[in-house]
Amino acid sequence: MPRPDTTTGPQTAGDVLSPYLHTQAGEFLRGLRLHREAGPDSGGAEEAARALRRAARRIGATLHTFRPLLDPVWAEALRTELSWLSATLAGEHACAARLARLLDGLQRLSGAPQVPAPRGETTAGAPAVGAARAGALLDRQLTLARTRAHSAALQALGSSRFHAVADAVALLASEVPLSGSAAAYAVEVLPSAAGLAEQRLGQAVAALPLARAAHPYNAEALAGLGETQDAPWHQVRRLLRLHRYAQEVLRPGPPYEDDERLLRAGLALDRHRDASEAAAAAAAAARTPRIAPATAYALGVLHADQRHEVEAARFAFQQVWQPMAAVGAQVAAP
Amino acid sequence: MPRPDTTTGPQTAGDVLSPYLHTQAGEFLRGLRLHREAGPDSGGAEEAARALRRAARRIGATLHTFRPLLDPVWAEALRTELSWLSATLAGEHACAARLARLLDGLQRLSGAPQVPAPRGETTAGAPAVGAARAGALLDRQLTLARTRAHSAALQALGSSRFHAVADAVALLASEVPLSGSAAAYAVEVLPSAAGLAEQRLGQAVAALPLARAAHPYNAEALAGLGETQDAPWHQVRRLLRLHRYAQEVLRPGPPYEDDERLLRAGLALDRHRDASEAAAAAAAAARTPRIAPATAYALGVLHADQRHEVEAARFAFQQVWQPMAAVGAQVAAP
């Protein structure tokens, strides 16, 4: 039976943080290389950009959550730059996904009726025309936005600002600028830093109207068609991600049951964000001057449909969160 | 301790049917008298029309369910006339209720946001204008429809066709034209006739996509914005009412637990029908020529919102029906 290796003594915080950051920095650099090899306009470039963003999110989150154990000035500066890079690279994909979501919705909403209309009515006629025009309008607007995001990403990847980020991450792949506190035992400092992230999440979730979200068809997300009420949910989405990545640092290896639940909660909040932004895009398209009433009508239907999706995502989040609620209440207590 | 009165022998079917029909016929005549006294344009007239329709529905349902125990030609003829009268009297109220439902929806959907919009945006501006115009358009169209329904009801109440119905019901208040089968013992013939009504209901419910309705936010009622899929639910609503009234004949007195559940299931289906018709009215208003895009947009939002309500009503029905599902499956079996 193998015995635990005690010759090296217990792990320090740096012993845990450094390999995690080395790995993520390596993933970032690999994504960067793939992106260059794929060329800017291929499908491979999208895949590579996704890998880049994935690593950038994890590095940024780790710099944030475990800041007291790292060189604070360096950590804050790099995190800001990684956020900028992530946001810049995300734009193109977000526009494409939003368009796909809205066209799917239009298809679903204007689809052929499942049974023949009574008395030979051609009810599908007028709505179908409006839906087709609305689809064309959204396609035009979001393709334009996507092209702009693509150019912005290309420009960013060629900028000296980006090269500075890449250099900083390349350094991180071999050496992590730790603070003196990182010499403390891992078990003594890492869980408390991660616990703070969990506590912030718990407090933010406790402030959500979860009891209301638990009642299906509460129509809250449609009230005033207000995207303004979505902000606390978006904030929970960000805090949940910080919590998830902190758990990755603490417990490498295959996911625990709780990790999977966190993942599913995160997916519900991703859907919430996507539907919220798609609804806003439909509303924005409806403000285009001189559109036909049938087009505006289809966009109105689509807007309400996506707000309905927002409500459904809140319900789904609540369903996943319920079994973790006791934990949430605990960490939310002052 | 009082002993059961055995001097009159066991009840015949006629002994049960006759007093029920006498009572309902009396209610009908009372409603008619109140309607005349109230004058055609007062609030009392609406109340009286409701009482009239309530009794007409019960008499018609009883004539239908227990037809083998009644003079069949008379029963079928009177039932047809009562359906005509009910439908004619219902129009005005339906238009008013539909308008109220749609204006409520517009209010909810265009209401002031609960928190200030970010960056001082006045997002509420344009939608509010569209909602106000949509409200004015619906008000115009449904008020016109209501006025027409009112005239039609007045005309019906003054017609010789109506006087023939009133005469038939007046006769029914004192004597019910029974068939020979009504001389059979009540326990031998009434439950089987009522059972047939329950069986038809069970079969119709079994054909509904209840498993799908049980999943909140299944978005089925929004697919194709199709009112065409609503017909089976409307049919269940009618069959549920026949079943409820048959139970009233069999078991007079305060409602059983099951009766209350039937009542709640019926309310969910009423809501389903109301939302379905309101959605159709919003769609019809959107087909008005030369409306502004903002108006069309608000009507599109409203249409989707009411289809969302249709879906919510199906979910509610399924929730109420679930505890009765075993019974439903049983009676649905061939």
Side-chain angles (χ1 to χ4, degrees):
Chain A
M1 201 174 117
R3 299 175 57 185
D5 180 5
T6 52
T7 56
T8 55
Q11 283 186 311
T12 66
D15 293 340
V16 175
L17 280 179
S18 291
Y20 182 83
L21 284 170
H22 290 331
T23 305
Q24 295 304 330
E27 290 292 323
F28 182 96
L29 296 171
R30 205 174 60 87
L32 187 55
R33 201 176 55 243
L34 284 175
H35 197 273
R36 278 181 186 139
E37 286 168 4
D41 284 308
S42 74
E46 197 181 315
E47 181 84 14
R50 213 192 311 266
L52 256 173
R53 279 164 44 215
R54 191 175 180 281
R57 282 200 306 267
R58 280 168 170 74
I59 298 170
T62 306
L63 298 183
H64 180 73
T65 302
F66 300 102
R67 195 169 23 189
L69 311 173
L70 300 163
D71 175 337
V73 177
W74 164 84
E76 193 51 38
L78 181 53
R79 185 179 166 237
T80 305
E81 292 305 283
L82 287 169
S83 293
W84 159 74
L85 183 63
S86 274
T88 308
L89 292 179
E92 186 180 353
H93 174 71
C95 288
R98 198 168 302 147
L99 179 59
R101 168 177 269 272
L102 288 167
L103 295 182
D104 269 6
L106 279 174
Q107 173 70 36
R108 184 163 40 78
L109 294 164
S110 68
Q114 292 161 333
V115 289
R119 296 184 305 279
E121 278 176 20
T122 54
T123 45
V129 170
R133 286 189 185 179
L137 177 62
L138 289 167
D139 189 40
R140 225 162 33 240
Q141 296 189 339
L142 286 169
T143 301
L144 179 65
R146 185 186 176 175
T147 306
R148 282 188 184 144
H150 181 71
S151 305
L154 279 190
Q155 204 171 356
L157 288 172
S159 70
S160 57
R161 185 175 179 184
F162 171 71
H163 287 113
V165 183
D167 287 350
V169 176
L171 273 175
L172 189 62
S174 56
E175 200 187 327
V176 176
L178 299 166
S179 75
S181 315
Y185 291 138
V187 292
E188 284 177 1
V189 290
L190 291 183
S192 67
L196 204 63
E198 186 173 9
Q199 192 179 331
R200 281 203 199 98
L201 170 63
Q203 284 166 345
V205 172
L208 292 178
L210 283 194
R212 177 124 198 219
H215 289 283
Y217 303 108
N218 57 69
E220 176 152 288
L222 274 93
L225 289 175
E227 282 80 26
T228 45
Q229 43 166 286
D230 297 348
W233 297 83
H234 296 334
Q235 176 65 3
V236 166
R237 182 178 159 273
R238 285 185 288 268
L239 292 173
L240 184 67
R241 211 141 77 168
L242 287 176
H243 171 51
R244 269 212 305 130
Y245 297 155
Q247 295 302 308
E248 275 187 15
V249 173
L250 257 61
R251 306 184 306 199
Y256 286 57
E257 191 187 338
D258 246 22
D259 296 341
E260 277 177 24
R261 239 186 248 141
L262 284 178
L263 202 65
R264 283 192 293 134
L267 289 175
L269 293 174
D270 287 351
R271 182 178 161 209
H272 181 274
R273 195 259 329 251
D274 292 347
S276 164
E277 293 186 346
R287 287 192 290 269
T288 308
R290 288 180 300 281
I291 54 173
T295 312
Y297 181 74
L299 290 169
V301 168
L302 190 58
H303 185 178
D305 174 62
Q306 290 301 312
R307 293 304 303 169
H308 186 196
E309 273 279 295
V310 165
E311 190 185 301
R314 292 182 189 177
F315 176 75
F317 172 79
Q318 185 278 332
Q319 292 283 95
V320 178
W321 194 261
Q322 209 49 46
M324 304 194 285
V327 178
Q330 209 177 322
V331 299
Chain B
M1 201 176 117
R3 298 174 60 185
D5 179 7
T6 53
T7 55
T8 54
Q11 282 187 313
T12 67
D15 292 341
V16 174
L17 280 178
S18 290
Y20 182 83
L21 284 170
H22 289 330
T23 305
Q24 295 304 329
E27 291 292 322
F28 182 97
L29 296 172
R30 206 174 58 88
L32 186 56
R33 200 176 56 242
L34 284 174
H35 196 273
R36 278 181 186 138
E37 284 168 5
D41 285 307
S42 74
E46 196 182 315
E47 180 85 15
R50 211 190 314 265
L52 256 174
R53 279 165 43 216
R54 191 175 180 280
R57 281 200 306 268
R58 280 168 170 76
I59 297 169
T62 305
L63 299 183
H64 180 72
T65 302
F66 300 101
R67 196 170 21 188
L69 311 173
L70 301 162
D71 175 337
V73 176
W74 165 84
E76 192 51 39
L78 180 54
R79 186 180 164 236
T80 305
E81 292 305 283
L82 287 170
S83 293
W84 160 75
L85 183 63
S86 274
T88 307
L89 292 180
E92 185 180 353
H93 174 69
C95 288
R98 197 168 304 147
L99 178 59
R101 168 177 269 273
L102 288 166
L103 295 182
D104 269 5
L106 279 174
Q107 174 69 35
R108 183 163 39 79
L109 293 164
S110 67
Q114 291 161 332
V115 289
R119 297 184 304 278
E121 278 177 19
T122 54
T123 46
V129 170
R133 285 189 185 180
L137 177 62
L138 289 167
D139 189 40
R140 224 160 35 239
Q141 296 189 341
L142 286 169
T143 302
L144 179 64
R146 184 186 176 174
T147 306
R148 283 188 184 144
H150 182 71
S151 305
L154 279 190
Q155 204 171 357
L157 289 173
S159 70
S160 58
R161 185 175 179 183
F162 171 72
H163 288 114
V165 183
D167 287 349
V169 177
L171 271 175
L172 189 62
S174 56
E175 199 188 327
V176 176
L178 299 166
S179 76
S181 314
Y185 292 138
V187 291
E188 283 178 2
V189 290
L190 292 182
S192 66
L196 203 63
E198 186 173 9
Q199 193 178 330
R200 282 204 198 96
L201 170 64
Q203 284 166 345
V205 172
L208 292 178
L210 282 194
R212 177 124 199 219
H215 289 283
Y217 303 109
N218 57 69
E220 177 153 288
L222 273 92
L225 289 175
E227 282 79 25
T228 46
Q229 41 166 288
D230 297 349
W233 298 84
H234 295 334
Q235 177 65 2
V236 166
R237 181 176 160 275
R238 285 185 289 267
L239 292 173
L240 184 67
R241 211 142 76 169
L242 287 176
H243 171 52
R244 268 212 304 131
Y245 297 155
Q247 295 302 308
E248 275 188 16
V249 173
L250 257 61
R251 306 185 306 200
Y256 286 55
E257 192 187 338
D258 246 22
D259 296 340
E260 276 177 25
R261 240 187 245 140
L262 284 178
L263 201 65
R264 282 193 294 133
L267 288 175
L269 293 174
D270 287 350
R271 182 177 161 210
H272 181 274
R273 195 260 329 252
D274 292 347
S276 165
E277 294 187 345
R287 288 192 288 270
T288 308
R290 288 181 300 282
I291 54 172
T295 311
Y297 180 75
L299 290 169
V301 168
L302 189 59
H303 184 177
D305 173 63
Q306 290 301 311
R307 292 305 302 171
H308 186 195
E309 273 278 296
V310 165
E311 189 185 303
R314 292 183 188 176
F315 176 76
F317 172 78
Q318 185 278 334
Q319 292 284 94
V320 176
W321 195 261
Q322 209 49 44
M324 302 193 286
V327 178
Q330 210 176 322
V331 298

